Amino acid sequence: MGKRLIVITGPTGAGKTDLSIGLAQRLGTEILSADSRQIYRGMEIGTAAPTAAQLSAVRHHFIGFKEPGDYYSAAQFESDAIALLGRLFAIHDTVVAVGGSMMYVDALCNGIDDIPTVDAETRAFVLEKYNAEGLGRLTAELKLLDPDYYATADIRNPKRVMHALEICYMTGRTYSSFRVGASKPRDFDIVKIGLSLDREVLYDRINRRVDRMVADGLADEAGRLLPMRHTNSLNTVGYKEMFRYLDGEWTLDFAIDKIKQNTRIYSRKQMTWFRRDTAIHWFDAGDGDGVASFVSSLE
């Protein structure tokens, strides 16, 4: 039998972690996390990282192995994940991957363009420009340096704008010139499984999960991370709102409401992205038995 990677994906709050653990236990295999924030230590509450009990139930990879200040990209994840799969497939016929980070899932399954790794000096220079001049000035500069990418980019996303400028500065070429978009061949089969549920049910689960995060100490966790708030790892829903509460700009209740709202918005973006992928087999989020039966039918 050929080697197979089963990818469990879907929106935040859909129950991917529990389902992937149950599936991995049935298959006697390990889990590769494709979550761009759970890779960082000290951010367990705000990223809804697997608990100690969940981590002990099945061996996980790419959970809490970087510091929040460390630079890590989707391209690095692709390289590390493919190398890891080479080792895991030596002892397992099937490996389970799980995550809702669109770029990480895409990098794992399709590969990512061979874009140069940005050096620390260039990264610091662009970050300083962003902090001093704001996103508007950077997007205007991107429009001049790389109008093709500017025309398609999410120019409200500082990470995307900054990275494109980093490449322009460092290489003297446009960022768009590196983006060829060709899928890379994999020497294993990929089966994608998406979890979905009614929007109102998902929103309720998101709201209740945020409440659990707060009860578990999200504000204290954000407080410990406050000195690193400028890092890319913390430019994410949950921490951004809590930082404004800790600054005294928002009340705690308002910050919690904004976390819920912004998480719901993110879940819609995830579903829009994943719905474009016709290779995904969709299941109700609570249908673990259906997923297991489907996987068994593949053998």
Side-chain angles (χ1 to χ4, degrees):
M1 186 182 76
K3 303 300 183 179
R4 178 178 293 132
L5 178 68
I6 298 174
V7 180
I8 308 294
T9 194
T12 184
K16 298 184 294 294
T17 297
D18 286 337
L19 189 142
S20 65
I21 289 173
L23 183 61
Q25 287 176 321
R26 292 191 189 209
L27 296 170
T29 191
E30 304 177 29
I31 292 176
L32 186 160
S33 173
D35 187 292
S36 65
R37 290 300 182 264
Q38 291 181 2
I39 65 173
Y40 295 107
R41 282 187 285 268
M43 296 171 55
E44 291 80 13
I45 297 173
T47 64
T51 65
Q54 290 171 325
L55 292 173
S56 66
V58 174
R59 188 178 183 188
H60 286 66
H61 302 271
F62 296 106
I63 297 289
F65 78 109
K66 290 287 182 181
E67 296 296 335
D70 292 342
Y71 177 77
Y72 198 70
S73 67
Q76 290 172 301
F77 170 72
E78 178 197 359
S79 177
D80 291 345
I82 295 303
L84 172 67
L85 285 173
R87 298 191 295 272
L88 294 181
F89 281 137
I91 54 176
H92 300 289
D93 289 328
T94 304
V95 175
V96 174
V98 60
S101 299
M102 292 87 80
M103 290 295 293
Y104 273 41
V105 172
D106 196 50
L108 178 63
C109 296
N110 302 314
I112 201 163
D113 293 321
D114 291 323
I115 297 172
T117 299
V118 179
D119 60 64
E121 182 179 357
T122 303
R123 192 177 307 117
F125 173 70
V126 174
L127 179 61
E128 184 178 349
K129 282 177 65 71
Y130 170 67
N131 290 332
E133 302 174 14
L135 182 60
R137 290 288 296 274
L138 265 61
T139 55
E141 189 167 359
L142 179 62
K143 186 176 183 180
L144 290 173
L145 294 176
D146 192 350
D148 289 339
Y149 181 67
Y150 176 87
T152 61
D154 177 5
I155 59 173
R156 293 173 297 180
N157 187 323
K159 179 181 177 181
R160 301 282 182 260
V161 173
M162 292 167 66
H163 184 56
L165 283 176
E166 288 167 353
I167 296 299
C168 291
Y169 292 152
M170 192 181 76
T171 67
R173 289 173 51 184
T174 62
Y175 179 55
S176 56
S177 69
F178 290 96
R179 291 164 52 88
V180 296
S183 293
K184 298 178 183 177
R186 300 301 191 206
D187 59 1
F188 49 85
D189 294 330
I190 298 174
V191 177
K192 299 178 186 177
I193 295 172
L195 304 184
S196 66
L197 63 168
D198 178 80
R199 177 174 287 188
E200 293 307 313
V201 175
L202 176 62
Y203 285 179
D204 179 64
R205 291 178 66 160
I206 287 171
N207 292 341
R208 286 188 285 114
R209 187 169 79 163
V210 172
D211 287 336
R212 286 196 302 273
M213 288 177 174
V214 174
D216 288 343
L218 178 60
D220 289 339
E221 184 177 80
R224 292 192 295 272
L225 294 165
L226 195 59
M228 293 177 284
R229 66 188 299 173
H230 63 282
T231 61
N232 180 62
S233 62
L234 291 164
N235 182 30
T236 190
V237 176
Y239 296 109
K240 292 190 295 184
E241 296 85 356
M242 273 297 166
F243 291 152
R244 298 182 77 168
Y245 157 66
L246 293 171
D247 286 340
E249 184 178 347
W250 288 352
T251 66
L252 179 59
D253 286 344
F254 186 79
I256 293 169
D257 286 342
K258 293 298 289 184
I259 294 172
K260 293 176 179 178
Q261 178 187 6
N262 291 333
T263 305
R264 294 193 299 266
I265 291 170
Y266 178 61
S267 74
R268 292 200 296 271
K269 292 180 179 179
Q270 288 175 301
M271 287 304 297
T272 298
W273 175 286
F274 291 128
R275 287 294 187 190
R276 298 191 190 112
D277 189 344
T278 58
I280 295 178
H281 303 271
W282 289 98
F283 289 84
D284 182 86
D287 190 13
D289 289 339
V291 171
S293 297
F294 170 72
V295 171
S296 296
S297 74
L298 301 171
E299 300 178 3

